Amino acid sequence: MDYLDSLNPIQRQAVEKTEGPSLIIAGAGSGKTRVLTYRIAHLIRQGVDPFNILALTFTNKAAKEMKQRIEEVVGAEARNVWMGTFHSIFARILRVEAEKIGFPSNFTIYDTDDAKSLIKTIINEMALNDKLYKPNIVQYRISSAKNNLISPAAYLKDPTLVSEDESSGRPKLGMLYSLYVKRCFTAGAMDFDDLLIKMYELLSKFPDALHRYQHLFKYILVDEFQDTNYAQYAILKKLADVFQNISVVGDDAQSIYSFRGAVIDNILNFEKQYPEMEVFRLEQNYRSTQTIVNAANGVIQKNQNQLEKKLWTENDLGNKITLLRAQSDNDEGRLIADAIAEERLRKHYRNDEFAILYRTNAQSRSFEEALRRRNIPCRVYGGLSFYQRKEVKDLIAYLRLSVNHQDEGALRRIVNYPARGIGKTTIEKATVIASENEITLWKVLENIHEYGLGARTNQAISDFITMIKSFATMQEKHNAYDLALHIAKSSRLLTELHNDKTVEGLNRFENFQELLNSIKEFTDDDEVPEGEETAEFTKDKSLGTYLQDIMLLTDADNDKDDTDKVKLMTIHAAKGLEFPSVYIVGLEENLFPSMMSLSSRADLEEERRLFYVALTRAEQSLTLSFANSRYRFGNLNYCEPSRFIKEVPEEYINSKAGNLERPQKESNNFSTSAIEKAVKFKTTSSVGKSNYKPSGDFKADDPSEIQAGMKVEHQRFGHGKVLQIEGRPDNKIATIFFQDLGEKKIMLQYAKLMISKNTTIEQ
């Protein structure tokens, strides 16, 4: 069957329209990847040279999968398409053009940890208060400036930015930004944001480079366009300025990364930049049941700022969405684990067909514990990345310093690891010398005998420098794996880890071996793309190429665990994924939507888009849950159900609301709709006042004697039955059903309850 015949009419139009600007609005589950890959395949089928096609994604994994699918249609020519993430493609270009902007071609790429480490060093050197100038805050401020193409000089001249810094009590932020950029330049290093800002600088300051890449990339395609930031959009506009064959694919309803600098206006206002563009709306959902699709539509239509579209599907109607109410966060974990166990048996699902999605990583604990108690294997995403583990970063630092001697971050990390007698004081003295002489730390250590730090120290440093230089000389004749293994042995890292026989030590050694395995896998890959031997940029198996590959990996690319486990992750991490059964948990005000999002409509609408993304991850089964109370920062808080629950059209919600509805005497002030019943949480302010008069012999009992199941009397609320007691010993909360008022939660230390022996309570 021809690849075009597998497309629906709108998809086919989007694939066949290859000239000029176009916007493909791709609703959740509407087959956007197929459209994007077939569009590229169609361009090649129509005679376009694949070297003239630039396709940008947000993960290397997505790029690899798309290239494989294109190859199925057009053959090996697909390998010649410029396809990858923004950062990987721009790094590839900057390696070639590095001289123009004053960087070595083997520049180091700093990850977030490297950047924060350098910032911390600068903060200490400037003797600033690290409680005020926290590296996280400083790094975020610098990253925001770069993503908006604001240089250090422009930052220091911007009265708004300067005023904001002064108001926050951090007037030195601009200076820190300036020093950070200088130190990166001196170290021959770029962070992730630099790969964007330096690419823009290359295109802006060097007309020959701009002309070259404008005419190289005659067709530009961008996936997940709603996630682009200001810098990415500015670069795209420059590259597409000559031919204007730019096609962007995205869904404004799934724009959820403003905290990373994503600008939703890029997609909302795309038509203003290209008035002649064509718009294709992919609205048929192939993923979810009609119930889930309609529920998601009902939620997202509450947003004012959006592009017009409405998802529909020919899939089955499916079951209604289940709504669960738990008494506490631990209770929520237990209920979800029980529900998964039951659904797994009833529907014969594998464990990896379930996903539990939450707003913040901190919520994972109760679900992980509950699943393990039920012997249901699970994996929590968002923990420490493989490449962030100490033992892995140690070897990578050796590899980085061997490739780029000016990499100060790597140098500081390994100069005395394993211990070789080069202490912290020595490095501090060397740092002062480097600063006074305006040279790099490596240069000081390389000529250490000139600075007289002591014979033993000088010899230790000289031996270290000689060792690193010997590694560097081996690069031309050895591939990445052979050199890495030699470095691991010669540096004594391998011996150091092998000698640690503790459980933690064995885990570290296994991680170290896994890193070496990944390097071996890299060098054993003999696939050479057709035409690459004549291509302008060639792939090789050198250590430098390997380091670039791993430094540009995303969390999604690092995930190799495809074993049969229930997946627990934040909704942000779940974007782009799909599962037969999805549980969206913690749906409470100030948690989801987040408390931080309630101050503006723009922030609240992004939270609603996040909920929409969560809903549309589900294929067959969807469950929503919330808790009446939750521990946060060590305190028990009463919770109000999320407004998003009520935004789900009532006809798509299971009226049973799970198994949590305890019989209650309803007040006439409450609606009796399915959702209202499920989310109702009665407090003293939500019911009428009682006219109860206490017994003549009323005397409050010791709160520590009150137990679940007891009948009690309250001075104002009357007779009740204790349903549940939870919380810490000094902060116990009793859930009590009162005959005339319904269910109430009361703090025992203030409750003044008398244990009643004979009263009958009708629930």
Side-chain angles (χ1 to χ4, degrees), residues 11 32 56 66 73 87 183 198 293 362 372 437 452 521 556 580 584 586 624 715 728 737 751:
Q11 289 176 332
K32 74 173 178 65
L56 295 167
M66 286 171 62
V73 179
H87 295 92
R183 293 285 281 272
K198 295 302 178 186
V293 168
R372 287 182 174 162
N437 292 274
E521 185 179 350
I584 307 173
L624 313 179
Q715 284 180 301
R728 298 175 306 190
F737 179 83

Side-chain angles (χ1 to χ4, degrees), residues 13-24:
Q13 290 175 32
V15 166
E16 293 182 320
K17 170 66 172 68
T18 59
E19 303 301 310
S22 61
L23 169 62
I24 301 173

Side-chain angles (χ1 to χ4, degrees), residues 102-104 106-108 110 118 182-190 397 399-412 434 438-447 465 468-469 472:
F103 277 80
N106 63 343
F107 61 81
T108 297
Y110 280 175
L118 176 55
K182 288 177 183 176
R183 293 285 281 272
C184 284
F185 182 78
T186 302
M190 295 187 196
L399 306 184
R400 280 170 39 181
L401 191 61
S402 300
V403 172
N404 174 14
H405 296 336
Q406 309 308 320
D407 187 342
E408 187 175 319
L411 174 58
R412 287 179 179 276
E438 296 185 347
I439 57 177
T440 64
L441 181 58
W442 171 269
K443 200 71 176 174
V444 173
L445 299 183
E446 191 178 26
N447 300 283
I465 295 294
I468 298 298
K469 284 183 174 180

Side-chain angles (χ1 to χ4, degrees), residues 337-338 340-341 344 351 371-378 566:
D338 290 348
I340 287 176
R344 187 177 56 168
N351 292 316
L371 288 168
R372 287 182 174 162
R373 276 195 292 268
R374 297 271 332 216
N375 293 318
I376 300 174
C378 64
V566 174

Side-chain angles (χ1 to χ4, degrees), residues 22-26 32 36 56-58 86 220-230 232-234 236-237 246-252 254-255 261-271 273-274 277 307 575:
S22 61
L23 169 62
I24 301 173
I25 304 172
K32 74 173 178 65
L36 194 55
L56 295 167
T57 66
F58 276 84
F86 282 86
I220 299 173
L221 302 95
V222 187
D223 191 18
E224 304 287 7
F225 186 65
Q226 77 279 350
D227 294 335
T228 55
N229 60 32
Y230 177 76
Q232 289 165 330
Y233 181 72
L236 288 170
K237 196 164 186 320
I246 180 170
S247 178
V248 300
V249 183
D251 181 7
D252 59 297
Q254 298 185 67
S255 178
V263 180
I264 191 173
D265 287 345
N266 288 350
I267 191 168
L268 294 178
N269 298 329
F270 190 69
E271 189 171 4
Q273 295 294 332
Y274 299 97
M277 76 171 188
L307 297 170
K575 186 170 176 289

Side-chain angles (χ1 to χ4, degrees), residues 184-200:
C184 284
F185 182 78
T186 302
M190 295 187 196
D191 62 23
F192 289 156
D193 299 317
D194 284 328
L195 296 174
L196 302 180
I197 202 169
K198 295 302 178 186
M199 183 67 189
Y200 183 81

